[in-house]
Amino acid sequence: MLNIVLFGPPGAGKGTQSERLISRYNLVHLSTGDIFRANIKGETELGKLAKSYIDKGQLVPDSVTIDLLRSEVLKHDNPKGFIFDGFPRTQKQAGALDEFLSSINSSISMMLSLDVEEDELKTRLMKRAEVSGRADDADPKIIENRIAVYKNETAPVKSYYDNQNKLIGIDGMGSVNDITDRLYASIDAN
Ligand code: AP5
Ligand code: MG
């Protein structure tokens, strides 16, 4: 299986690039953020819980997110692989993902980490706020908080994969097409 962690701060382009990677490599796109938003829309219990964190720009608790991820992976029969978008976001999630994948005789192939300057992240998210309807895009203070949470809690996950020699940094600045080409080149070289 080709299992890719597509990593990066809020607005880095994880969702945008995932769409392209899944069609080229026949992978399943698993975005924990998208799953939480679908649950918020459907007013499920999980959605209510997730909303109380997401709207403030905080992380949903690990236990909830890890259980969700496991059950989503198991929904697919004989997948060619997964793009994990927005997961893992803590060292605990990263450890749990490794443990779970090894229990189904699989593993993470690589982490592709999109590097984007902070001003560009804010510009992209403020622009998306006009159309996305995402409560966590609507307020610049929440965007700041999401970026701060990324720096404090999520960025350290890079070293987890670096220690396994699986971290590949990708320049996430420039046009969507140029970034896609960089991702293809890195995947095809590995
Ligand atoms: P999540 O949904 O994962 O959001 P995020 O990480 O904040 O990232 P975004 O989805 O905002 O950005 P993206 O990197 O996907 O970029 P996109 O392609 O959309 O998480 C939301 C919340 O859910 C979290 O805050 C947390 O509360 C919770 N959550 C989720 N997962 C969790 C977990 N594992 N543990 C705990 N809590 C969790 O691009 C952004 C915009 O820029 C778009 O408008 C796009 O069109 C544009 N764009 C993309 N590329 C370019 C480019 N090259 N040039 C110009 N514009 C571009
Ligand atoms: Mg996204």
Side-chain angles (χ1 to χ4, degrees), residues 8-17 31-34 36-37 53-54 57-60 65 85-89 93 120 124-125 128 134 136-137 146 172 174-176 179:
K14 302 182 293 292
T16 304
Q17 297 297 337
S31 158
T32 40
D34 286 352
F36 287 137
R37 281 184 290 277
Y53 295 93
I54 292 178
Q58 291 167 359
L59 296 183
V60 177
T65 311
D85 159 0
F87 187 98
R89 258 176 153 93
Q93 291 179 16
E120 171 69 8
R124 289 182 191 177
L125 293 176
R128 190 178 64 185
R134 272 177 65 165
D136 61 347
D137 284 348
R146 286 161 64 197
S175 76
V176 172
I179 298 161

Side-chain angles (χ1 to χ4, degrees), residues 124-186:
R124 289 182 191 177
L125 293 176
M126 308 265 275
K127 194 166 168 215
R128 190 178 64 185
E130 295 163 16
V131 292
S132 71
R134 272 177 65 165
D136 61 347
D137 284 348
D139 179 348
K141 284 205 194 90
I142 307 288
I143 291 178
E144 294 273 1
N145 195 39
R146 286 161 64 197
I147 294 173
V149 167
Y150 170 80
K151 284 184 191 161
N152 294 332
E153 299 179 50
T154 302
V157 175
K158 274 196 262 187
S159 59
Y160 181 93
Y161 289 97
D162 198 13
N163 290 338
Q164 299 183 7
N165 288 319
K166 290 180 178 173
L167 170 66
I168 301 171
I170 303 284
D171 177 4
M173 298 288 288
S175 76
V176 172
N177 284 343
D178 284 351
I179 298 161
T180 306
D181 287 342
R182 288 174 204 142
L183 290 165
Y184 289 167
S186 289

Side-chain angles (χ1 to χ4, degrees), residues 49-153:
L49 176 87
K51 186 173 164 55
S52 65
Y53 295 93
I54 292 178
D55 285 1
K56 295 184 207 131
Q58 291 167 359
L59 296 183
V60 177
D62 282 336
S63 56
V64 176
T65 311
I66 291 166
D67 283 352
L68 171 74
L69 196 279
R70 283 199 204 107
S71 71
E72 287 293 326
V73 168
L74 293 173
K75 280 182 186 169
H76 301 274
D77 276 334
N78 281 322
K80 283 208 166 169
F82 292 90
I83 302 265
F84 297 103
D85 159 0
F87 187 98
R89 258 176 153 93
T90 62
Q91 305 252 13
K92 195 165 171 208
Q93 291 179 16
L97 180 61
D98 270 353
E99 218 172 278
F100 169 62
L101 287 176
S102 95
S103 79
I104 57 167
N105 294 318
S106 192
S107 60
I108 290 298
S109 314
M110 67 190 82
M111 170 193 261
L112 299 168
S113 175
L114 295 165
D115 299 316
V116 179
E117 288 163 16
E118 196 165 319
D119 283 350
E120 171 69 8
L121 298 173
K122 290 179 188 162
T123 306
R124 289 182 191 177
L125 293 176
M126 308 265 275
K127 194 166 168 215
R128 190 178 64 185
E130 295 163 16
V131 292
S132 71
R134 272 177 65 165
D136 61 347
D137 284 348
D139 179 348
K141 284 205 194 90
I142 307 288
I143 291 178
E144 294 273 1
N145 195 39
R146 286 161 64 197
I147 294 173
V149 167
Y150 170 80
K151 284 184 191 161
N152 294 332
E153 299 179 50

